[in-house]
Amino acid sequence: MKNGNNLKSKQYLIDEIKAGDTWRIFKILSEFVEGFEHLSGVEPAVSIFGSARVKEGHRDYRKARELGNLLADEGITVITGGGPGIMEAANRGAAEAGGRSIGINIELPFEQKPNPYANKVITFNYFFVRKVMLVKYASAFVIFPGGFGTMDEFFEALTLIQTRKILPFPLILVDSEYWGGLISWIKNTMLTEGFISPEDLNLIQIKDDVRDIVGVIKSFLSMY
């Protein structure tokens, strides 16, 4: 039972916050301060997301690695969640091109060790602090095929832009075949039901070629 309690304290951080645990607020504040201090001046930067389960030989890995390389060549910082898969590939491409390659890692009990290609790694305990960092310093989001976590990052950024909580920036989905069904559902169900507005669809771009992605980002940066 003791081991179970220890596991819970490590994994279920939000559940463990109680009314009397005001000291945790200082821990949260310290993570924000650390993030702001370490990431100040990294702009322009692009946050790249995608599955942690993708292996080196996969086409998405190769594409994310190429994208990281191209962005670094343009002097654009690559930021990822710091883990394996797509995150590793993007960090790797940026590092191989001599660019700034940042991993914003999350501390988990059983997984998510930082990949070796981020030349700056910041590790957080709280997902919501990490999310703020991934959004705050990004001039664009590039989202490769992935699972629940990838979807979470996509819809979080989309909601923040739609509700004007952050300045609009390119929100680019990579691989029209993978994301096509989701976009069709958004158009044919959410829009048809009136749950979103037609102009909301303009917040999303879908690209298949990494050079097109870099072009979109460069065009946006030239305006802002």
Side-chain angles (χ1 to χ4, degrees):
M1 190 66 181
K2 183 178 179 180
N3 290 336
N5 288 335
N6 287 339
L7 173 60
K8 184 176 181 181
S9 66
K10 291 180 180 179
Q11 184 170 5
Y12 304 117
L13 293 174
I14 302 301
D15 294 316
E16 283 298 288
I17 296 177
K18 301 178 178 65
D21 290 343
T22 52
W23 64 270
R24 288 184 184 270
I25 301 300
F26 295 103
K27 171 62 177 173
I28 293 168
L29 287 175
S30 72
E31 290 204 352
F32 276 114
V33 171
E34 182 182 5
F36 295 150
E37 288 183 345
H38 281 285
L39 294 171
S40 177
V42 302
E43 302 96 327
V46 172
S47 290
I48 299 176
F49 305 92
S51 176
R53 303 183 185 188
V54 168
K55 304 301 181 185
E56 183 173 351
H58 195 280
R59 63 177 184 178
D60 290 338
Y61 187 103
R62 295 194 299 269
K63 189 175 286 190
R65 184 177 176 182
E66 181 184 1
L67 178 61
N69 194 285
L70 292 173
L71 290 172
D73 284 342
E74 297 292 339
I76 299 170
T77 301
V78 169
I79 299 176
T80 77
I86 293 298
M87 296 173 282
E88 175 185 297
N91 283 139
R92 182 176 182 177
E96 289 171 340
R100 289 177 295 189
S101 176
I102 298 176
I104 302 183
N105 194 46
I106 186 73
E107 187 173 299
L108 297 175
F110 301 119
E111 54 184 79
Q112 186 75 6
K113 294 182 179 179
N115 71 68
Y117 300 105
N119 47 44
K120 176 178 281 191
V121 177
I122 310 167
T123 299
F124 295 103
N125 283 288
Y126 297 95
F127 268 109
F128 56 87
V129 179
R130 180 180 183 239
K131 281 186 175 184
V132 169
M133 302 304 155
L134 288 166
V135 172
K136 175 175 173 56
Y137 294 97
S139 297
F141 266 26
V142 179
I143 302 164
F144 282 80
F148 292 144
T150 304
M151 295 277 284
D152 176 57
E153 300 291 356
F154 166 57
F155 279 110
E156 174 113 15
L158 182 59
T159 301
L160 289 171
I161 294 171
Q162 182 209 41
T163 56
R164 301 184 182 180
K165 291 297 183 182
I166 60 173
L167 292 171
F169 57 62
L171 193 57
I172 305 167
L173 297 174
V174 184
D175 192 338
S176 55
E177 182 177 354
Y178 184 85
W179 296 108
L182 174 64
I183 299 302
S184 294
W185 179 79
I186 290 173
K187 290 179 179 179
N188 298 327
T189 303
M190 294 179 76
L191 182 61
T192 300
E193 292 288 344
F195 296 152
I196 61 171
S197 302
E199 57 268 23
D200 292 335
L201 296 173
N202 298 329
L203 302 176
I204 307 168
Q205 301 185 56
I206 303 180
K207 299 292 181 182
D208 291 298
D209 190 284
V210 291
R211 295 188 180 275
D212 290 341
I213 295 170
V214 174
V216 169
I217 294 168
K218 288 177 61 179
S219 178
F220 175 78
L221 291 173
S222 69
M223 292 188 294
Y224 294 94

